[in-house]
Amino acid sequence: MLWETVTFAVVLLQILMTTSTLPSLEKTVSSDITASEIDYRLPTNVKPIHYKIILNPLIEEPDPSTFTGEEIITVKVIEETESITLHYNNITIHDVIITRASTETNLTVNHNYDTVTHFWVISLDTSAGEDAERTFKANEEYLILIQYSGHHQDDMYGFYRSSYKDTEGKTVWLATTQFEPGHARRAFPCFDEPAFKATFEISIQKKRNLHAISNMPIKNDENEHYYNFETTPVMPTYLIAFIVSEFKSLNKTENFHVWAREGAIEQAQYSVDVGPSLLNAIEDFLLDLKYPMPKMDEVAVPDFSAGAMENWGLTTYRERIILYDKDHATAATKQQIATVAAHEFAHQWFGDLVSPEWWNYLWLNEGFATYFESFATDMVETAWRLKEQFVVRDLQPALAADALLTSHPITQYVDSPNSIRSIFDTISYEKAGSVIRMMEHFLTTEVFKKGLRRYLESRKYSNANEEHLYDAMNKEFQATKPELYADVSNIMHTWTRQAGYPLVTVTSEGNQLTITQKRFLLMPSSTPEEDSALWTIPLTYTTQDGDFHNTSTKQWMKSSSLKIGRPTEENKWFIFNVQQTGFYRVNYDENNWSLLIRYLRSDNYEKISAVNRAQLLDDALNLARAGVLKYSTALELTTYLIKEEDYIPWYSALNDFTFLNLRLTGTDAYPLFKVKQLSCRLLYFIIFIIFSTALIISKKELIFSTYEIGCLKCVHSHHDLKFCHRNNAERKSTIAYSHNDSTYLSPNLQSVTYCTALRHGGKEEWNFLWNKYVSSNYATEQSLILTALGCTTDQALIDGYLTKSIEDRVNIRRQDAASVFSAVYSNPDGFQLAFNFLQANYDSVASSYGTGVSSIITGIAGRIATQEQLDEFRKFVENKELGAAAEAARRAVESAEQNLEWSKIHGSEIESWLKGEPTSTVPSTTPGEASSLSLSPAVCVTLFTSILYQILNTFKMK
Ligand SMILES: *[C@@H]1O[C@H](CO)[C@@H](O)[C@H](O)[C@H]1NC(C)=O
Ligand SMILES: *[C@@H]1O[C@H](CO)[C@@H](O)[C@H](O)[C@H]1NC(C)=O
Ligand SMILES: *[C@@H]1O[C@H](CO)[C@@H](O)[C@H](O)[C@H]1NC(C)=O
Ligand SMILES: *[C@@H]1O[C@H](CO)[C@@H](O)[C@H](O)[C@H]1NC(C)=O
Ligand SMILES: [Zn+2]
């Protein structure tokens, strides 16, 4: 499953904040990952073999909310038992009969339900007389016949309902499913754990003009009353899906369809075009291990809680993650649509064909799905440089998240529904994906592919744990490269079974390098335990005279310290972690940093690969943040960016600047920081990045586009820098681009344009955009506008907007409500606006958002930059009855305190560097050089704030 993250900026901020909460907004709600005292696991003495399910959905009209079901579960008793335990939730049982299959005798039973565990315990009625059966016998099969009714909720879990307006404005209902991780039990009583695999035969009653789809194709013997689906292969409950709707479909082959509401179906073309190629790419990668299902349907669901879901043969998506129209979606969105499809398709093997034994091995699903997002899509959309993007979009954010003391191991035991939900996080997705990529490089791609195939072949239609993966890799490694044999299992345990990752420090003395390792933490607060943590690290390095192609392991490092010969002369640099294939950070001695900085500033800088330039920036800025490296050194390194024209290093730099930007807001260093960053040239590249996410748009086109918007002319000419707010006429002309359809405004520019217009406009502009949002038929455009609407700095408009997010369910879907709040507080002035609203309306916010209110509090607190703000926030937290959010609020205060503390420690060092005071032994830019690149502060401050976070918002991630 792919969780929807509200906006890139928010995720980024959450990762970057030195907070103890887990790093992303919707991936995790609770950070309660400890095992609970309640036993949530089903007994293993009975296992399901086959489910036959008949459903009658959407019963009432015009406001349907219930369904009925009839189910026959065939179970096999493994060990003699007095009772059978399975799950249901939010279902009313009308009747249950158990028949012993061999004798066809009906047994009298009693049953009990537990509302906490959702356990339904069916036991034999022993009062039924002397010769009544007292136990279910081992090796016998029993049939459980159940009549029940259930509820189509609006909360986007289970067999829930969704709606949309058709072209005539009439509300159309549909019923659809989201079962992962534990919601199948809301649609039918079942053994709702991933190891209880069975076959499923589903029938759905026909009605009106509603059409049904499910994991399998419809049987040939279709009759007039039911859609009868073919029996599925052996599979877990959480991957079952069915959708009852009036959707239409597009297809280019017989077995690959994309479904959406009629009014949006033509937007499915790109997905129809790219989908089959992505499936083929994964088959090729897996050495021709075929897609196991007879067909694939992709469905755009109007109300959807996650971003997308990998139900076997029937993947489901939010509309804006599957429907694409080039005039209404950014280049970044197009990339997202392809990579998310690749993610869900990779699951068809990793998760669906081979399922995890239990949720502690969730990463065997999500790590591989994350890996294939980039590595399968790269085989289809070859110009997007996705292999490099993987490093800056997945690996580096994972390094950020995993540098907190509260991080957890990749393989993490969980049991309660909350703890299960909480591991759908950056560790199970991006960190696992990165560690999988590291494994590929130390095993070689050839062995890796063979190993994957062996793993899948050996565990198909069954379940797996991490040892099954390592075993398969070991066998292939021994077969292919006996001379290189590595103990994959022992190596990998150091990465999957402990939290965090190492900082590798390389210092040089004469012709020797000393290499040490130690856990890297952003807030160093060491306990002896962390100090002694060790990883088995596949070290790679290259030198000034070497190249960046060879990523095979040069040296294994198991101990805390190691010496090797210096690989190059003393006046030449070396770089560890070639192409950042290893999941670790690297620090050097001053001499090597200094050599690197000089070289980056020279005309040869591109000889260091783009990924390693990104690595140097990200490592240096994070080491400085943790107090391991002087800020002056890290900032000196960033000055080479004046020349940088590549998207990859810029992506890392901007991520890391976001943290500085937030922390320095309100300090004396802030104006200097912005000025320094905002040479026009730098601005040029910031804007370049907006358009070229996937390098789809050439620089030439970019310059042309920026000419279209008067207020961004500075990009092209230093002398023509005007601002929309200074000149009312220009403000109008900016928004006129969207008024007047004859003037084409590239979707890549809409975000910046709308936001700038709103920041400097008033009610009129806001209403104009709101109406555009309400009437838009494009989910991608709607989401872009929803974010832009938070750009206004008018408290009354903000209050109105946030109120709508709570009350106006007609126009703001529940799935989108959280992005309204984040759109506001991600806005540079948004802390105060969002916070004022929250204080005045806490109770209605809390009841509308439920557990989501914690993330709002955390998000707002992340913006606290001054002591006054902190005092105000603390007063709020202390005086308000925050209920379930109290714990998150307490942690938010703590992390805000840490952030202010951070600013105290590092603020002055950064300030003196920005002022050009000598603080470092590293050669500094001459003052003249720096000032010739700067704009006047007033100009830049405005530009910076209105643009930077827009950029971040543009990169809406999966
Ligand atoms: C299911 O949940 C809904 C909403 O909470 C409630 O109205 C309904 O009565 C519940 N139904 C059953 C059978 O528990
Ligand atoms: C057992 O129950 C089923 C379902 O009610 C019924 O059709 C069948 O006749 C019963 N069998 C016996 C032997 O009573
Ligand atoms: C689209 O799907 C239908 C139904 O499966 C099939 O009959 C038709 O041939 C398909 N169209 C193409 C172009 O393959
Ligand atoms: C890559 O580096 C490894 C380890 O140093 C070496 O054994 C191998 O020959 C190199 N491969 C190439 C193609 O240069
Ligand atoms: Zn997934």
Side-chain angles (χ1 to χ4, degrees), residues 455-480:
Y455 161 71
L456 292 168
E457 289 275 17
S458 67
R459 306 306 303 170
K460 66 184 175 191
Y461 304 109
S462 178
N463 295 76
N465 62 38
E466 61 182 316
E467 300 313 321
H468 294 123
L469 176 67
Y470 307 148
D471 247 31
M473 291 294 169
N474 259 339
K475 290 208 170 90
E476 289 303 334
F477 206 19
Q478 277 171 299
T480 319

CSV table of all heavy atoms in Angstrom, one decimal, residues 455-480:
chain,number,residue,atom,x,y,z
A,455,TYR,N,13.9,-16.5,-4.6
A,455,TYR,CA,13.1,-16.2,-3.4
A,455,TYR,C,11.6,-16.3,-3.8
A,455,TYR,O,10.9,-17.0,-3.1
A,455,TYR,CB,13.5,-14.8,-2.9
A,455,TYR,CG,12.5,-14.1,-2.0
A,455,TYR,CD1,12.3,-14.5,-0.7
A,455,TYR,CD2,11.8,-13.0,-2.5
A,455,TYR,CE1,11.4,-13.9,0.1
A,455,TYR,CE2,10.9,-12.3,-1.6
A,455,TYR,CZ,10.7,-12.8,-0.3
A,455,TYR,OH,9.8,-12.1,0.5
A,456,LEU,N,11.2,-15.7,-4.9
A,456,LEU,CA,9.8,-15.7,-5.2
A,456,LEU,C,9.3,-17.1,-5.6
A,456,LEU,O,8.3,-17.5,-5.2
A,456,LEU,CB,9.6,-14.7,-6.4
A,456,LEU,CG,9.8,-13.2,-6.0
A,456,LEU,CD1,9.8,-12.3,-7.3
A,456,LEU,CD2,8.7,-12.7,-5.1
A,457,GLU,N,10.2,-17.8,-6.4
A,457,GLU,CA,9.8,-19.1,-6.8
A,457,GLU,C,9.6,-20.0,-5.6
A,457,GLU,O,8.7,-20.9,-5.5
A,457,GLU,CB,10.9,-19.7,-7.7
A,457,GLU,CG,11.0,-19.1,-9.1
A,457,GLU,CD,10.0,-19.7,-10.1
A,457,GLU,OE1,9.0,-20.4,-9.6
A,457,GLU,OE2,10.2,-19.6,-11.3
A,458,SER,N,10.5,-19.9,-4.6
A,458,SER,CA,10.5,-20.8,-3.5
A,458,SER,C,9.4,-20.5,-2.5
A,458,SER,O,9.0,-21.4,-1.8
A,458,SER,CB,11.8,-20.9,-2.8
A,458,SER,OG,12.1,-19.6,-2.1
A,459,ARG,N,8.9,-19.3,-2.5
A,459,ARG,CA,7.9,-18.9,-1.5
A,459,ARG,C,6.5,-18.6,-2.1
A,459,ARG,O,5.6,-18.1,-1.4
A,459,ARG,CB,8.3,-17.7,-0.6
A,459,ARG,CG,9.7,-17.9,0.1
A,459,ARG,CD,9.8,-19.1,0.9
A,459,ARG,NE,8.7,-19.2,1.9
A,459,ARG,CZ,8.5,-20.3,2.7
A,459,ARG,NH1,9.2,-21.4,2.5
A,459,ARG,NH2,7.6,-20.3,3.6
A,460,LYS,N,6.4,-18.8,-3.4
A,460,LYS,CA,5.1,-18.3,-4.1
A,460,LYS,C,3.9,-19.0,-3.5
A,460,LYS,O,4.0,-20.2,-3.1
A,460,LYS,CB,5.2,-18.5,-5.6
A,460,LYS,CG,5.3,-19.9,-6.1
A,460,LYS,CD,5.5,-19.9,-7.6
A,460,LYS,CE,5.7,-21.3,-8.1
A,460,LYS,NZ,6.1,-21.3,-9.5
A,461,TYR,N,2.8,-18.3,-3.5
A,461,TYR,CA,1.5,-18.8,-2.9
A,461,TYR,C,1.7,-19.2,-1.4
A,461,TYR,O,1.0,-20.0,-0.9
A,461,TYR,CB,0.9,-19.9,-3.7
A,461,TYR,CG,0.7,-19.5,-5.1
A,461,TYR,CD1,1.5,-20.0,-6.2
A,461,TYR,CD2,-0.2,-18.6,-5.5
A,461,TYR,CE1,1.3,-19.7,-7.5
A,461,TYR,CE2,-0.4,-18.2,-6.8
A,461,TYR,CZ,0.4,-18.7,-7.8
A,461,TYR,OH,0.2,-18.3,-9.1
A,462,SER,N,2.7,-18.6,-0.8
A,462,SER,CA,3.0,-18.9,0.6
A,462,SER,C,3.4,-17.6,1.3
A,462,SER,O,3.2,-16.5,0.8
A,462,SER,CB,4.0,-20.0,0.6
A,462,SER,OG,4.3,-20.3,2.0
A,463,ASN,N,4.1,-17.7,2.4
A,463,ASN,CA,4.6,-16.6,3.2
A,463,ASN,C,6.1,-16.6,3.4
A,463,ASN,O,6.7,-17.6,3.2
A,463,ASN,CB,3.9,-16.5,4.5
A,463,ASN,CG,2.4,-16.3,4.4
A,463,ASN,OD1,1.6,-17.2,4.0
A,463,ASN,ND2,1.9,-15.1,4.6
A,464,ALA,N,6.6,-15.4,3.7
A,464,ALA,CA,8.1,-15.4,3.8
A,464,ALA,C,8.5,-14.5,5.0
A,464,ALA,O,7.7,-13.7,5.5
A,464,ALA,CB,8.7,-14.8,2.6
A,465,ASN,N,9.7,-14.8,5.5
A,465,ASN,CA,10.4,-13.8,6.4
A,465,ASN,C,11.7,-13.5,5.8
A,465,ASN,O,12.0,-13.9,4.7
A,465,ASN,CB,10.5,-14.5,7.8
A,465,ASN,CG,11.4,-15.7,7.8
A,465,ASN,OD1,12.4,-15.8,7.0
A,465,ASN,ND2,11.0,-16.7,8.5
A,466,GLU,N,12.5,-12.6,6.5
A,466,GLU,CA,13.7,-12.1,5.9
A,466,GLU,C,14.7,-13.2,5.6
A,466,GLU,O,15.5,-13.2,4.6
A,466,GLU,CB,14.3,-11.0,6.7
A,466,GLU,CG,14.7,-11.3,8.1
A,466,GLU,CD,15.3,-10.1,8.8
A,466,GLU,OE1,16.1,-9.3,8.3
A,466,GLU,OE2,14.9,-9.9,10.0
A,467,GLU,N,14.7,-14.3,6.4
A,467,GLU,CA,15.7,-15.4,6.1
A,467,GLU,C,15.5,-16.0,4.8
A,467,GLU,O,16.4,-16.5,4.1
A,467,GLU,CB,15.6,-16.4,7.2
A,467,GLU,CG,15.9,-15.9,8.6
A,467,GLU,CD,17.2,-15.0,8.7
A,467,GLU,OE1,18.2,-15.3,8.1
A,467,GLU,OE2,17.1,-14.0,9.5
A,468,HIS,N,14.2,-16.1,4.4
A,468,HIS,CA,14.0,-16.7,3.1
A,468,HIS,C,14.7,-15.9,2.0
A,468,HIS,O,15.2,-16.5,1.0
A,468,HIS,CB,12.5,-16.8,2.8
A,468,HIS,CG,11.7,-17.8,3.7
A,468,HIS,ND1,10.7,-17.3,4.5
A,468,HIS,CD2,11.9,-19.1,4.0
A,468,HIS,CE1,10.3,-18.4,5.2
A,468,HIS,NE2,11.0,-19.4,5.0
A,469,LEU,N,14.6,-14.6,2.1
A,469,LEU,CA,15.3,-13.8,1.1
A,469,LEU,C,16.8,-14.0,1.1
A,469,LEU,O,17.4,-14.1,0.1
A,469,LEU,CB,14.9,-12.3,1.4
A,469,LEU,CG,15.6,-11.2,0.5
A,469,LEU,CD1,15.1,-11.3,-0.9
A,469,LEU,CD2,15.3,-9.8,1.1
A,470,TYR,N,17.4,-13.9,2.3
A,470,TYR,CA,18.8,-14.0,2.4
A,470,TYR,C,19.3,-15.4,1.9
A,470,TYR,O,20.4,-15.5,1.3
A,470,TYR,CB,19.3,-13.8,3.8
A,470,TYR,CG,18.8,-12.5,4.5
A,470,TYR,CD1,18.6,-12.5,5.8
A,470,TYR,CD2,18.6,-11.4,3.7
A,470,TYR,CE1,18.1,-11.3,6.4
A,470,TYR,CE2,18.1,-10.3,4.2
A,470,TYR,CZ,17.8,-10.2,5.6
A,470,TYR,OH,17.4,-9.0,6.2
A,471,ASP,N,18.6,-16.4,2.3
A,471,ASP,CA,18.9,-17.8,1.8
A,471,ASP,C,19.0,-17.9,0.3
A,471,ASP,O,19.9,-18.4,-0.3
A,471,ASP,CB,17.7,-18.7,2.2
A,471,ASP,CG,18.1,-19.7,3.2
A,471,ASP,OD1,19.0,-19.3,4.0
A,471,ASP,OD2,17.5,-20.8,3.2
A,472,ALA,N,18.0,-17.3,-0.4
A,472,ALA,CA,17.9,-17.3,-1.8
A,472,ALA,C,19.1,-16.6,-2.4
A,472,ALA,O,19.8,-17.0,-3.3
A,472,ALA,CB,16.6,-16.7,-2.3
A,473,MET,N,19.5,-15.4,-1.8
A,473,MET,CA,20.6,-14.6,-2.2
A,473,MET,C,21.9,-15.4,-2.0
A,473,MET,O,22.8,-15.4,-2.9
A,473,MET,CB,20.7,-13.3,-1.5
A,473,MET,CG,19.5,-12.3,-1.8
A,473,MET,SD,19.6,-11.8,-3.5
A,473,MET,CE,18.0,-11.0,-3.7
A,474,ASN,N,22.0,-16.0,-0.9
A,474,ASN,CA,23.2,-16.8,-0.6
A,474,ASN,C,23.5,-17.9,-1.6
A,474,ASN,O,24.6,-18.1,-2.1
A,474,ASN,CB,23.2,-17.4,0.8
A,474,ASN,CG,23.9,-16.6,1.8
A,474,ASN,OD1,24.9,-15.8,1.4
A,474,ASN,ND2,23.6,-16.7,3.1
A,475,LYS,N,22.4,-18.6,-1.9
A,475,LYS,CA,22.5,-19.7,-2.8
A,475,LYS,C,23.0,-19.2,-4.2
A,475,LYS,O,23.8,-19.8,-4.8
A,475,LYS,CB,21.1,-20.4,-2.9
A,475,LYS,CG,20.8,-21.2,-1.7
A,475,LYS,CD,19.9,-22.4,-1.9
A,475,LYS,CE,19.7,-23.3,-0.7
A,475,LYS,NZ,18.6,-22.9,0.1
A,476,GLU,N,22.4,-18.1,-4.7
A,476,GLU,CA,22.8,-17.6,-6.0
A,476,GLU,C,24.2,-17.1,-5.9
A,476,GLU,O,25.0,-17.2,-6.9
A,476,GLU,CB,21.9,-16.5,-6.4
A,476,GLU,CG,20.5,-17.0,-6.8
A,476,GLU,CD,20.5,-18.0,-7.9
A,476,GLU,OE1,21.5,-18.1,-8.7
A,476,GLU,OE2,19.6,-18.9,-8.0
A,477,PHE,N,24.6,-16.5,-4.8
A,477,PHE,CA,25.9,-15.9,-4.7
A,477,PHE,C,26.9,-17.0,-4.7
A,477,PHE,O,27.9,-16.9,-5.5
A,477,PHE,CB,26.0,-15.2,-3.3
A,477,PHE,CG,27.0,-14.1,-3.3
A,477,PHE,CD1,27.5,-13.5,-4.5
A,477,PHE,CD2,27.5,-13.6,-2.1
A,477,PHE,CE1,28.4,-12.4,-4.4
A,477,PHE,CE2,28.4,-12.5,-2.0
A,477,PHE,CZ,28.8,-12.0,-3.2
A,478,GLN,N,26.6,-18.1,-4.0
A,478,GLN,CA,27.6,-19.2,-4.0
A,478,GLN,C,27.7,-19.8,-5.4
A,478,GLN,O,28.7,-20.3,-5.8
A,478,GLN,CB,27.1,-20.3,-3.0
A,478,GLN,CG,27.6,-19.9,-1.6
A,478,GLN,CD,27.0,-20.9,-0.6
A,478,GLN,OE1,25.8,-20.9,-0.5
A,478,GLN,NE2,27.8,-21.6,0.1
A,479,ALA,N,26.5,-19.9,-6.1
A,479,ALA,CA,26.5,-20.5,-7.4
A,479,ALA,C,27.3,-19.7,-8.4
A,479,ALA,O,27.9,-20.2,-9.3
A,479,ALA,CB,25.1,-20.8,-7.9
A,480,THR,N,27.2,-18.4,-8.3
A,480,THR,CA,27.7,-17.5,-9.3
A,480,THR,C,29.1,-17.0,-9.0
A,480,THR,O,30.0,-16.9,-9.9
A,480,THR,CB,26.8,-16.2,-9.5
A,480,THR,OG1,25.4,-16.7,-9.4
A,480,THR,CG2,27.0,-15.5,-10.8
